Coordinates of all heavy atoms in Angstrom, one line a residue:
L1219 N 224.8 107.5 -1.1 CA 225.3 106.9 0.0 C 225.8 107.9 1.0 O 226.0 109.1 0.7 CB 226.5 106.0 -0.4 CG 226.2 104.9 -1.4 CD1 227.4 104.3 -2.0 CD2 225.4 103.8 -0.7
R1220 N 226.0 107.5 2.2 CA 226.4 108.4 3.3 C 227.7 109.1 3.0 O 227.9 110.3 3.2 CB 226.6 107.6 4.6 CG 225.3 107.0 5.1 CD 225.5 106.2 6.4 NE 225.8 107.1 7.5 CZ 224.8 107.6 8.4 NH1 223.6 107.3 8.1 NH2 225.1 108.4 9.4
F1221 N 228.7 108.4 2.4 CA 230.0 109.0 2.1 C 230.0 110.0 1.0 O 230.9 110.7 0.7 CB 231.1 108.0 2.0 CG 231.0 107.1 0.7 CD1 231.5 107.6 -0.5 CD2 230.4 105.9 0.7 CE1 231.4 106.8 -1.7 CE2 230.4 105.1 -0.4 CZ 230.8 105.6 -1.6
E1222 N 228.8 110.0 0.2 CA 228.7 111.0 -0.8 C 228.1 112.3 -0.3 O 228.2 113.4 -0.9 CB 227.7 110.5 -1.9 CG 228.3 109.3 -2.7 CD 227.3 108.9 -3.8 OE1 226.4 108.1 -3.5 OE2 227.5 109.3 -4.9
K1223 N 227.4 112.2 0.9 CA 226.7 113.4 1.4 C 227.6 114.4 2.1 O 228.8 114.1 2.3 CB 225.5 112.9 2.3 CG 224.5 112.1 1.6 CD 223.4 111.6 2.5 CE 222.4 110.7 1.8 NZ 221.3 110.2 2.7
D1224 N 227.1 115.5 2.5 CA 227.8 116.5 3.1 C 228.4 116.0 4.4 O 227.7 115.6 5.4 CB 226.8 117.7 3.4 CG 227.5 118.9 4.1 OD1 228.8 118.8 4.3 OD2 226.8 119.9 4.4
R1225 N 229.7 115.9 4.5 CA 230.4 115.3 5.7 C 230.1 116.2 7.0 O 230.3 115.6 8.1 CB 231.9 115.2 5.4 CG 232.3 114.3 4.3 CD 232.4 112.9 4.7 NE 232.7 111.9 3.6 CZ 233.9 111.6 3.2 NH1 235.0 112.0 3.8 NH2 234.0 110.7 2.2
T1226 N 229.8 117.4 6.8 CA 229.6 118.2 8.0 C 228.4 117.8 8.8 O 228.2 118.1 9.9 CB 229.4 119.7 7.6 OG1 228.3 119.9 6.8 CG2 230.7 120.2 6.9
T1227 N 227.5 117.0 8.1 CA 226.3 116.5 8.8 C 226.5 115.2 9.5 O 225.7 114.7 10.3 CB 225.1 116.3 7.8 OG1 225.5 115.3 6.9 CG2 224.8 117.6 7.0
C1228 N 227.7 114.6 9.4 CA 228.1 113.4 10.1 C 228.6 113.7 11.5 O 229.1 114.8 11.7 CB 229.2 112.6 9.3 SG 228.7 112.2 7.6
N1229 N 228.6 112.7 12.3 CA 229.2 112.9 13.6 C 230.7 112.8 13.5 O 231.2 112.4 12.5 CB 228.7 111.9 14.6 CG 229.1 110.5 14.3 OD1 230.2 110.1 14.3 ND2 228.1 109.6 14.0
K1230 N 231.4 113.3 14.5 CA 232.9 113.4 14.5 C 233.6 112.1 14.2 O 234.5 112.0 13.4 CB 233.4 114.0 15.8 CG 234.9 114.2 15.8 CD 235.3 114.8 17.2 CE 234.8 116.2 17.4 NZ 235.3 116.8 18.6
I1231 N 233.1 111.0 14.8 CA 233.7 109.7 14.6 C 233.5 109.2 13.2 O 234.4 108.7 12.5 CB 233.2 108.7 15.6 CG1 233.7 109.0 17.0 CG2 233.6 107.2 15.2 CD1 233.2 108.1 18.1
E1232 N 232.3 109.4 12.6 CA 232.0 109.0 11.2 C 232.9 109.7 10.3 O 233.5 109.2 9.3 CB 230.6 109.2 10.9 CG 230.1 108.5 9.6 CD 228.6 108.6 9.3 OE1 227.9 109.1 10.2 OE2 228.2 108.2 8.2
R1233 N 233.1 111.0 10.5 CA 234.0 111.8 9.6 C 235.4 111.3 9.7 O 236.1 111.2 8.6 CB 233.9 113.3 10.0 CG 232.7 114.0 9.7 CD 232.9 115.5 9.6 NE 233.3 116.1 10.9 CZ 232.5 116.4 11.9 NH1 231.2 116.3 11.8 NH2 233.0 116.9 13.1
L1234 N 235.9 111.0 10.9 CA 237.3 110.5 11.0 C 237.4 109.2 10.3 O 238.5 108.9 9.7 CB 237.6 110.4 12.5 CG 237.8 111.7 13.2 CD1 238.0 111.4 14.7 CD2 239.1 112.4 12.7
V1235 N 236.4 108.3 10.3 CA 236.5 107.0 9.6 C 236.6 107.3 8.1 O 237.4 106.7 7.5 CB 235.2 106.2 10.0 CG1 235.1 105.0 9.0 CG2 235.3 105.7 11.4
Y1236 N 235.7 108.1 7.6 CA 235.8 108.4 6.1 C 237.1 109.1 5.7 O 237.7 108.8 4.7 CB 234.6 109.2 5.7 CG 233.3 108.5 5.7 CD1 232.1 109.1 6.2 CD2 233.2 107.2 5.1 CE1 230.9 108.4 6.2 CE2 232.0 106.5 5.1 CZ 230.9 107.1 5.6 OH 229.7 106.4 5.6
D1237 N 237.6 110.0 6.6 CA 238.8 110.6 6.3 C 240.0 109.6 6.2 O 240.9 109.7 5.3 CB 239.1 111.7 7.4 CG 238.2 112.9 7.3 OD1 237.6 113.0 6.2 OD2 238.2 113.7 8.2
E1238 N 240.0 108.6 7.1 CA 241.0 107.6 7.1 C 240.9 106.8 5.8 O 242.0 106.5 5.2 CB 241.0 106.7 8.3 CG 242.1 105.7 8.3 CD 242.0 104.8 9.5 OE1 241.2 105.0 10.4 OE2 242.8 103.8 9.5
L1239 N 239.7 106.4 5.4 CA 239.6 105.7 4.2 C 240.0 106.4 3.0 O 240.6 105.9 2.1 CB 238.1 105.2 4.0 CG 237.6 104.2 5.1 CD1 236.1 104.0 4.9 CD2 238.3 102.9 5.0
D1240 N 239.7 107.7 3.0 CA 240.1 108.6 1.8 C 241.6 108.7 1.8 O 242.2 109.0 0.7 CB 239.5 110.0 2.0 CG 238.0 110.0 1.7 OD1 237.5 109.0 1.1 OD2 237.3 110.9 2.1
S1241 N 242.3 108.5 2.9 CA 243.7 108.8 2.9 C 244.5 107.5 2.5 O 245.8 107.6 2.4 CB 244.2 109.2 4.3 OG 244.0 108.1 5.2
I1242 N 243.9 106.4 2.2 CA 244.6 105.2 1.8 C 245.2 105.5 0.4 O 244.6 105.9 -0.5 CB 243.6 104.0 1.6 CG1 243.0 103.6 3.0 CG2 244.3 102.8 1.0 CD1 242.0 102.5 3.0
P1243 N 246.6 105.3 0.3 CA 247.2 105.6 -1.0 C 246.8 104.6 -2.0 O 247.2 103.4 -2.0 CB 248.7 105.4 -0.6 CG 248.8 104.5 0.6 CD 247.5 104.7 1.3
V1244 N 246.1 105.0 -3.1 CA 245.6 104.1 -4.1 C 246.1 104.3 -5.5 O 245.7 103.6 -6.4 CB 244.0 104.2 -4.1 CG1 243.4 103.8 -2.7 CG2 243.6 105.6 -4.4
N1245 N 246.9 105.3 -5.6 CA 247.3 105.7 -7.0 C 247.9 104.6 -7.8 O 247.5 104.4 -9.0 CB 248.3 106.9 -7.0 CG 247.6 108.2 -6.5 OD1 246.4 108.3 -6.6 ND2 248.4 109.1 -6.0
R1246 N 248.8 103.8 -7.2 CA 249.5 102.8 -8.0 C 249.3 101.4 -7.4 O 249.8 100.4 -8.0 CB 251.0 103.1 -8.0 CG 251.3 104.4 -8.8 CD 252.8 104.6 -8.9 NE 253.2 105.8 -9.6 CZ 254.4 106.2 -9.8 NH1 255.5 105.5 -9.3 NH2 254.7 107.3 -10.5
D1247 N 248.6 101.3 -6.3 CA 248.4 100.0 -5.6 C 247.0 99.6 -5.7 O 246.1 100.1 -5.1 CB 248.8 100.1 -4.2 CG 249.0 98.8 -3.5 OD1 248.3 97.8 -4.0 OD2 249.7 98.7 -2.5
I1248 N 246.7 98.6 -6.6 CA 245.3 98.2 -6.9 C 244.8 97.4 -5.6 O 243.6 97.5 -5.4 CB 245.2 97.3 -8.1 CG1 243.7 97.1 -8.5 CG2 245.9 96.0 -7.9 CD1 243.6 96.4 -9.9
K1249 N 245.7 96.8 -4.8 CA 245.2 96.2 -3.6 C 244.7 97.2 -2.6 O 243.6 97.0 -2.0 CB 246.3 95.3 -3.0 CG 245.9 94.5 -1.8 CD 247.0 93.7 -1.2 CE 247.5 92.6 -2.1 NZ 248.5 91.8 -1.4
N1250 N 245.4 98.3 -2.5 CA 244.9 99.4 -1.6 C 243.6 100.0 -2.1 O 242.7 100.3 -1.4 CB 245.9 100.5 -1.5 CG 247.0 100.2 -0.4 OD1 246.8 99.3 0.4 ND2 248.1 100.9 -0.5
L1251 N 243.5 100.0 -3.5 CA 242.2 100.6 -4.1 C 241.1 99.6 -3.8 O 240.0 100.1 -3.4 CB 242.4 100.7 -5.6 CG 241.2 101.2 -6.4 CD1 240.8 102.6 -5.9 CD2 241.5 101.3 -7.9
A1252 N 241.3 98.3 -3.8 CA 240.2 97.4 -3.5 C 239.9 97.5 -2.0 O 238.7 97.4 -1.7 CB 240.7 96.0 -3.8
K1253 N 240.9 97.6 -1.2 CA 240.6 97.8 0.3 C 239.8 99.0 0.5 O 238.8 98.9 1.3 CB 242.0 97.9 1.0 CG 241.8 98.0 2.5 CD 243.2 98.1 3.1 CE 243.2 98.3 4.6 NZ 244.5 98.4 5.3
Q1254 N 240.1 100.1 -0.1 CA 239.3 101.3 0.0 C 237.9 101.2 -0.5 O 236.9 101.6 0.1 CB 240.0 102.5 -0.7 CG 239.3 103.8 -0.5 CD 239.8 104.9 -1.5 OE1 239.7 104.8 -2.7 NE2 240.5 105.9 -0.9
T1255 N 237.8 100.5 -1.7 CA 236.5 100.3 -2.3 C 235.5 99.6 -1.4 O 234.4 100.0 -1.2 CB 236.6 99.6 -3.7 OG1 237.5 100.4 -4.5 CG2 235.3 99.4 -4.3
Y1256 N 236.0 98.4 -0.9 CA 235.1 97.6 -0.1 C 234.9 98.1 1.3 O 233.7 98.2 1.8 CB 235.7 96.2 0.0 CG 235.5 95.4 -1.2 CD1 236.5 95.3 -2.2 CD2 234.4 94.6 -1.5 CE1 236.4 94.6 -3.4 CE2 234.2 93.9 -2.6 CZ 235.2 93.9 -3.6 OH 235.1 93.2 -4.7
L1257 N 235.9 98.6 2.0 CA 235.7 99.1 3.4 C 234.8 100.3 3.4 O 234.1 100.5 4.4 CB 237.1 99.4 4.0 CG 238.0 98.2 4.3 CD1 239.3 98.7 4.9 CD2 237.3 97.3 5.3
T1258 N 234.9 101.2 2.4 CA 234.1 102.4 2.4 C 232.6 102.0 2.3 O 231.8 102.5 3.1 CB 234.4 103.2 1.1 OG1 235.8 103.7 1.2 CG2 233.5 104.5 1.1
R1259 N 232.3 100.9 1.5 CA 230.9 100.5 1.4 C 230.5 99.8 2.7 O 229.3 99.9 3.2 CB 230.7 99.6 0.2 CG 229.2 99.2 0.0 CD 228.3 100.3 -0.2 NE 226.9 100.0 -0.3 CZ 226.0 100.3 0.7 NH1 226.4 100.9 1.8 NH2 224.8 99.9 0.5
I1260 N 231.4 99.0 3.3 CA 231.0 98.2 4.5 C 230.7 99.2 5.6 O 229.7 99.0 6.4 CB 232.2 97.3 4.9 CG1 232.3 96.2 3.8 CG2 232.0 96.6 6.2 CD1 233.6 95.4 3.9
L1261 N 231.6 100.2 5.8 CA 231.4 101.1 6.9 C 230.2 102.0 6.7 O 229.5 102.4 7.6 CB 232.7 101.9 7.2 CG 233.8 101.0 7.8 CD1 235.2 101.7 7.5 CD2 233.6 100.9 9.3
D1262 N 230.0 102.3 5.4 CA 228.8 103.1 5.1 C 227.5 102.4 5.5 O 226.6 102.9 6.1 CB 228.8 103.4 3.6 CG 227.9 104.6 3.2 OD1 226.7 104.4 3.2 OD2 228.5 105.7 3.0
A1263 N 227.5 101.0 5.2 CA 226.4 100.2 5.6 C 226.2 100.1 7.1 O 225.1 100.1 7.6 CB 226.5 98.8 5.0
Y1264 N 227.4 100.1 7.8 CA 227.3 100.0 9.3 C 226.6 101.3 9.9 O 225.7 101.1 10.7 CB 228.7 99.9 9.9 CG 228.7 100.1 11.4 CD1 228.2 99.1 12.2 CD2 229.3 101.2 11.9 CE1 228.2 99.3 13.6 CE2 229.3 101.4 13.3 CZ 228.8 100.5 14.1 OH 228.8 100.6 15.5
F1265 N 227.0 102.4 9.4 CA 226.4 103.7 10.0 C 225.0 103.8 9.6 O 224.2 104.3 10.4 CB 227.3 104.9 9.6 CG 228.6 105.0 10.3 CD1 229.8 104.8 9.7 CD2 228.6 105.2 11.7 CE1 231.0 104.9 10.3 CE2 229.8 105.3 12.4 CZ 231.0 105.2 11.7
D1266 N 224.6 103.3 8.4 CA 223.2 103.3 8.0 C 222.4 102.4 9.0 O 221.3 102.7 9.4 CB 223.1 102.8 6.6 CG 222.9 103.9 5.6 OD1 222.6 105.0 6.0 OD2 223.1 103.6 4.4

């Protein structure tokens, strides 16, 4: 998937989007984890 690949090959906006998704606090909040799980795939599909 795009978010697995080398982020340096992404454009600046795409990198910022993935960085924001990675920053979602998921350690103890399963709802945040679900939000991160789905949004990462949705936005990955968009850039594809």
Side-chain angles (χ1 to χ4, degrees):
L1219 296 170
R1220 297 177 72 91
F1221 68 83
E1222 294 181 277
K1223 296 179 181 178
D1224 181 3
R1225 296 270 175 96
T1226 60
T1227 62
C1228 301
N1229 66 66
K1230 183 182 291 187
I1231 292 179
E1232 190 176 355
R1233 284 200 302 274
L1234 289 172
V1235 168
Y1236 286 136
D1237 289 345
E1238 182 181 350
L1239 293 174
D1240 288 343
S1241 69
I1242 295 175
V1244 298
N1245 290 340
R1246 295 183 179 180
D1247 192 334
I1248 192 171
K1249 188 183 289 188
N1250 276 346
L1251 180 60
K1253 182 178 178 182
Q1254 182 191 67
T1255 301
Y1256 285 93
L1257 289 179
T1258 300
R1259 183 64 186 105
I1260 294 167
L1261 288 160
D1262 201 281
Y1264 169 70
F1265 286 112
D1266 263 342

